[in-house]
Amino acid sequence: MPQSVTRRRFLAAGGGLAATAGIGGLSGCLTLATELGGGSVKVSSKRFTEQEVLGYIAYEALSANTDLNVTDQVGLGGTTTNFRALDTDEVQLYWEYTGTAWQTLPPQHDTVISDPEKLYRKVKAEFEQKHGLTFLQRAQLNNTYVILANPDWAKKTGVETLSDFAQFLQNDGSNLTVALNAEFQSRADGWPGLSEHYGFADDLGNVTVNNIGSGLLYQVIGKGSADVGVGFNTDPRILQFGLRVLTDDKGYFPVYNAAPLVDSETLENHPSIRSLLNAASNGLTTDVMRRLNKQVAIEKKNPQTVAKEYLQRKEVI
């Protein structure tokens, strides 16, 4: 078995540097970490616009501010591919979402935690203990499901929250047109669960629900072919079509804050990674992420260029 994997299991069992009592023991562990570290960091990401921007934010921040040999693995694959690569030392960091870490990655949980900080603390502690991986500072961006409204419809009805939406349906929803993709319309934790959570499941008899592909949803709502619909909170087409995001005031949807997930051994060996990536996360809100995504997905700019310009504005590089 490779030595690095053995050390990963040691860290996951609670035997990391933080648990070392004496100065002498700490020094010995640091020496071991230095030998294992090699001064190389591979940065990966998932294969979609936002993740590529986040991946290059990490890549550029480390390349410009450290003497590490930073390797570009941005766009490596999906969630499982990136997590397995990190867990087996093939890469050293990628950005993961707190909701994904909680509900999709092992050991997986079915419960929804709507408090962002509580969820972050739980996944941070769990991943350090079980995987020897460290979540750095979470960004404020929340790439979760949202219910979107046509701006004219929202202004006319005064609906701003999902509770307002439920009240609207109870009073008069007969002329309402809703646009949903097939998955969200059918899955239990999608439209059916949302309608139960907010108490409007019995008020949908006269509502027209159109099944629309995800790629067209934003345009359909923006141009008034539907009054409301489903989307993702950081999608730049929210800006493109001026859509209103209805506030999830009763916390139905899971939280998906993005945070750098880093091999603990690498972080111990190169502690400057923490401060650099925390600085990059600071101020990375949902609105900022939408604008960065817009530059890539709609304005067709290179994601690496967008990431670099963001870091320059933040004076991280």
Side-chain angles (χ1 to χ4, degrees), residues 106-126:
Q108 298 181 319
H109 304 275
D110 293 329
T111 56
V112 173
I113 299 175
S114 58
D115 183 293
E117 184 60 25
K118 181 179 179 181
L119 176 60
Y120 171 73
R121 290 196 303 268
K122 282 186 173 291
V123 296
K124 180 176 173 62
E126 187 169 84

Side-chain angles (χ1 to χ4, degrees), residues 79-131:
T79 295
T80 301
T81 298
N82 279 274
F83 175 72
R84 285 178 178 171
L86 181 58
D87 204 36
T88 57
D89 296 312
E90 295 175 36
V91 302
Q92 281 66 54
L93 75 92
Y94 78 99
W95 292 68
E96 187 54 273
Y97 300 97
T98 52
T100 303
W102 181 250
Q103 295 187 303
T104 303
L105 295 176
Q108 298 181 319
H109 304 275
D110 293 329
T111 56
V112 173
I113 299 175
S114 58
D115 183 293
E117 184 60 25
K118 181 179 179 181
L119 176 60
Y120 171 73
R121 290 196 303 268
K122 282 186 173 291
V123 296
K124 180 176 173 62
E126 187 169 84
F127 272 61
E128 287 176 355
Q129 179 183 10
K130 296 184 179 297
H131 300 295

Side-chain angles (χ1 to χ4, degrees), residues 196-215:
E196 290 288 344
H197 187 80
Y198 277 94
F200 60 81
D202 295 331
D203 302 307
L204 296 172
N206 295 320
V207 173
T208 300
V209 178
N210 292 332
N211 188 250
I212 305 293
S214 297

